[in-house]
Amino acid sequence: MSNLLLIIPLLLLLSTSAPPSLGLAHQSTSISAFRQCLQNHNHSDAVLYLPTNSSFLPVLNAYIHNKRFIGPATAKPLAIVTPTHESHVQATVLCAKANNLQIRTRSGGHDYEGLSYRSPSPFILLDLNNLRRIELDVETETAWVEAGATLGELYYAIANKTNTLAFPAGVCPSIGVGGHFAGGGYGNLLRKYGLSVDNVLDARVVDARGEILNRSTMGDLFWAIRGGGGASFGVILSWKVKLVRVPEVVTAFQVDRWLDQGASDIFYRSVEKSEFSGLYSHSTFILVTTPENKTKVMISFVGEYLGRTKDLVSYLSRSFPELGFREVDGKEMSWVETVLFWAMIPVNKPLEVLLNRKSEPSYFKSKSDYVTEIIPREALPGIWDALLKVGPCFTQWNPYGGRMAEIDTDEAAYAHRAGYLFKVQYYVWWVEDGEEAEARHVGALDALHEAVTPYVTKEPREAYLNYRDLENGVNSVEKPEWSKAKVYGEKYFKGHFERLAKIKAEFDPENFFRDQQSIPPFPHSH
């Protein structure tokens, strides 16, 4: 018997968790036709999970990291396909399109608003977790990485072959490379080597016709998927990346300062871009409860230097004495050990911990900003006051400069380059269940975001795609409107939005690949 899971009758279990816009009988008919279509394409070895199968919910929930989207209130897919071969992805796209079903593509499941695994319309979940092969070539300093692989798996594969190569990407090991790279891929090597997309050499993508494209056949699409996201254009199968060189020994550090220890002055000094490209240090504003049960603001200066601690001490003592950095503050380690450090994993843990693809889900909400002008010193107390009202949260100020200032804005779809001081992330989390708790915490985060309004980019207020936020604007999935797409599109992509929409019109004119914040085809009327 083939391992295509034939589960019937579907009518009995496609109930309140299913998207409402198709009746139950219609849903059952569509899934039956979809299943038959897969068989007609000779892909009965593509594993298909239906809601009647006992594995359906475990497979669905395995890569949901935000508890806001676990439970009966979140619409479930009509089926989950977990391909083990590229051809399974092609068949899924063709069969979903033929049966008027949308697809959502999930690599790691870290979309902050869950758009990679939920939809208000009937949909198939294409879960790429089985497509995670990594082929590393140390001699050419390149790697092919399938979209379902995680950053941790990529970092582990590199470290297994060499201690002098790395890849510029994020700090969370369980993030899938498919979406992370497509949205830009911000990490702590960006001042030296740029973003993930600045080190992408090739890609393989399934388009709306079910065809596999690579760099030589996709034309402008290669520009679009490097910062414009992948979900609007197709299904990214794999990336070819250029590895970057790092010393055998690097230095990681964390220096914490209270406000009454001059933290505000230290932060203000750091805004003046005193760092050079071999040094990355972000500032995190966090709330800490003291032994006296008082909540205070602490700024944590966390960084990485591509070199020895003594050299870092020498540099900072000259250029940034306010930090008070001492040799004891630096910890020398290999580059891959800094991956553990950034993920708050003890660096003496076996590297196999990077292969853990799952993380404990939690309730959270995030927002983002970009900063191009130095914040007035007198504005900081107002930000501290707003922070104290939020509850468990942090704001992280990630520095630009270095290589990021050298890459042309039009080199790739990612538009935030020279002239930027920081990318800011605001992040709030909570443990209580229920809508009231969510509304309270999200409302407090919105108030903090509002307090920072005068000091960030304007018209539009720019945002980072990989910190997805539906408050940046949403569109109808059934009847998307250009005017609504421009609202969030210009925040994420600035002047690149219209070019992205024109590329969308070329490769997906019927707008098959769409969600609440996707890029629609450029309208003929414009």
Side-chain angles (χ1 to χ4, degrees):
M1 180 177 178
S2 88
N3 64 344
L4 172 66
L5 303 179
L6 307 179
I7 301 103
I8 20 186
L10 192 58
L11 277 169
L12 297 178
L13 286 179
L14 278 173
S15 57
T16 56
S17 65
S21 52
L22 285 181
L24 296 184
H26 193 173
Q27 290 174 15
S28 181
T29 301
S30 296
I31 288 300
S32 297
F34 174 79
R35 185 180 63 204
Q36 184 62 52
C37 179
L38 287 182
Q39 291 179 314
N40 292 344
H41 281 80
N42 295 318
H43 290 307
S44 59
D45 53 343
V47 182
L48 176 69
Y49 298 90
L50 301 180
T52 45
N53 182 259
S54 60
S55 297
F56 179 84
L57 281 178
V59 170
L60 174 63
N61 293 337
Y63 296 101
I64 295 180
H65 302 281
N66 195 333
K67 287 181 71 175
R68 293 165 58 206
F69 310 122
I70 296 178
T74 299
K76 307 296 187 289
L78 300 183
I80 303 171
V81 180
T82 57
T84 57
H85 190 272
E86 290 180 343
S87 62
H88 300 161
V89 177
Q90 294 175 275
T92 300
V93 169
L94 291 172
C95 293
K97 192 173 181 181
N99 289 282
N100 197 30
L101 296 170
Q102 291 185 20
I103 66 169
R104 291 289 181 271
T105 304
R106 180 170 71 177
S107 53
H110 278 268
D111 186 297
Y112 280 3
E113 295 283 10
L115 299 194
S116 62
Y117 52 81
R118 68 186 186 101
S119 172
S121 299
F123 72 105
I124 304 296
L125 174 59
L126 184 59
D127 191 320
L128 303 181
N129 77 89
N130 289 326
L131 295 179
R132 57 179 190 258
R133 185 176 53 179
I134 298 171
E135 297 179 355
L136 203 71
D137 188 333
V138 174
E139 288 189 10
T140 62
E141 300 181 356
T142 62
W144 272 102
V145 190
E146 287 191 316
T150 64
L151 296 182
E153 289 169 335
L154 174 58
Y155 298 154
Y156 179 83
I158 295 171
N160 258 352
K161 293 286 185 73
T162 173
N163 63 355
T164 58
L165 292 176
F167 188 73
V171 300
C172 179
S174 61
I175 290 176
V177 305
H180 181 69
F181 292 0
Y186 189 104
N188 47 42
L189 290 175
L190 92 162
R191 290 177 51 82
K192 182 69 173 180
Y193 292 112
L195 304 169
S196 298
V197 291
D198 300 321
N199 297 277
V200 167
L201 302 174
D202 203 344
R204 290 173 62 80
V205 181
V206 175
D207 69 7
R209 300 167 299 176
E211 297 182 2
I212 296 179
L213 307 177
N214 59 28
R215 182 172 182 174
S216 65
T217 57
M218 72 174 74
D220 281 350
L221 184 58
F222 185 67
W223 178 89
I225 60 174
R226 290 179 297 137
S232 295
F233 302 100
V235 180
I236 295 173
L237 298 170
S238 57
W239 301 95
K240 184 180 183 181
V241 299
K242 176 67 176 174
L243 305 180
V244 301
R245 297 179 182 180
V246 292
E248 291 185 4
V249 177
V250 301
T251 299
F253 62 88
Q254 178 173 338
V255 178
D256 299 329
R257 295 287 184 265
W258 298 102
L259 295 186
D260 56 13
Q261 292 177 313
S264 293
D265 290 337
I266 297 171
F267 171 72
Y268 190 81
R269 177 72 174 90
S270 74
V271 178
E272 296 175 346
K273 300 195 300 183
S274 61
E275 300 163 337
F276 60 96
S277 64
L279 173 64
Y280 171 91
S281 173
H282 68 221
S283 305
T284 303
F285 306 165
I286 53 177
L287 299 181
V288 178
T289 302
T290 68
E292 297 78 25
N293 204 31
K294 293 183 178 180
T295 301
K296 299 174 63 177
V297 176
M298 172 187 284
I299 304 183
S300 185
F301 302 91
V302 188
E304 175 178 323
Y305 170 64
L306 299 178
R308 296 276 184 175
T309 303
K310 61 181 178 59
D311 297 325
L312 179 58
V313 171
S314 176
Y315 170 74
L316 290 177
S317 65
R318 298 191 313 271
S319 66
F320 197 3
E322 296 87 347
L323 183 61
F325 187 83
R326 304 163 300 166
E327 190 161 352
V328 69
D329 294 321
K331 302 292 186 289
E332 291 187 344
M333 58 188 74
S334 66
W335 170 78
V336 74
E337 287 174 327
T338 71
V339 173
L340 302 181
F341 168 82
W342 286 103
M344 293 184 289
I345 300 170
V347 296
N348 59 356
K349 285 272 191 179
L351 291 182
E352 283 70 23
V353 70
L354 295 175
L355 302 179
N356 182 8
R357 296 175 55 84
K358 300 176 183 179
S359 60
E360 190 67 26
S362 61
Y363 292 111
F364 70 88
K365 170 72 178 179
S366 182
K367 305 182 79 67
S368 62
D369 265 320
Y370 285 92
V371 178
T372 57
E373 298 179 0
I374 295 177
I375 297 174
R377 190 187 301 266
E378 60 270 19
L380 293 178
I383 296 176
W384 309 146
D385 289 344
L387 192 66
L388 286 165
K389 296 175 183 177
V390 177
C393 71
F394 68 77
T395 66
Q396 193 172 90
W397 298 65
N398 302 279
Y400 265 57
R403 179 67 179 138
M404 287 296 287
E406 300 168 355
I407 300 173
D408 189 275
T409 302
D410 296 328
E411 177 67 24
Y414 186 87
H416 314 277
R417 299 287 189 179
Y420 289 84
L421 300 179
F422 290 105
K423 173 177 63 66
V424 186
Q425 180 180 20
Y426 312 85
Y427 191 99
V428 64
W429 66 93
W430 61 96
V431 297
E432 314 99 302
D433 296 326
E435 294 181 0
E436 188 278 332
E438 177 175 336
R440 185 174 70 255
H441 289 283
V442 172
L445 182 68
D446 288 341
L448 172 61
H449 192 245
E450 180 64 26
V452 185
T453 300
Y455 317 115
V456 298
T457 55
K458 302 172 181 65
E459 297 181 357
R461 183 172 186 172
E462 299 165 26
Y464 179 39
L465 179 63
N466 280 356
Y467 297 161
R468 174 92 66 186
D469 179 10
L470 291 184
E471 292 181 69
N472 286 325
V474 294
N475 218 333
S476 166
V477 174
E478 295 299 332
K479 295 181 179 180
E481 300 175 33
W482 175 254
S483 59
K484 291 182 178 179
K486 283 189 69 175
V487 174
Y488 56 80
E490 291 181 350
K491 291 178 181 179
Y492 290 133
F493 312 117
K494 298 176 58 183
H496 289 166
F497 173 64
E498 286 199 2
R499 181 178 174 184
L500 287 165
K502 290 175 181 176
I503 296 171
K504 168 75 168 182
E506 178 183 356
F507 287 90
D508 184 16
E510 297 176 356
N511 202 19
F512 172 67
F513 294 107
R514 64 188 188 274
D515 57 42
Q516 295 96 308
Q517 281 195 344
S518 59
I519 300 166
F522 189 76
H524 295 298
S525 60
H526 286 64

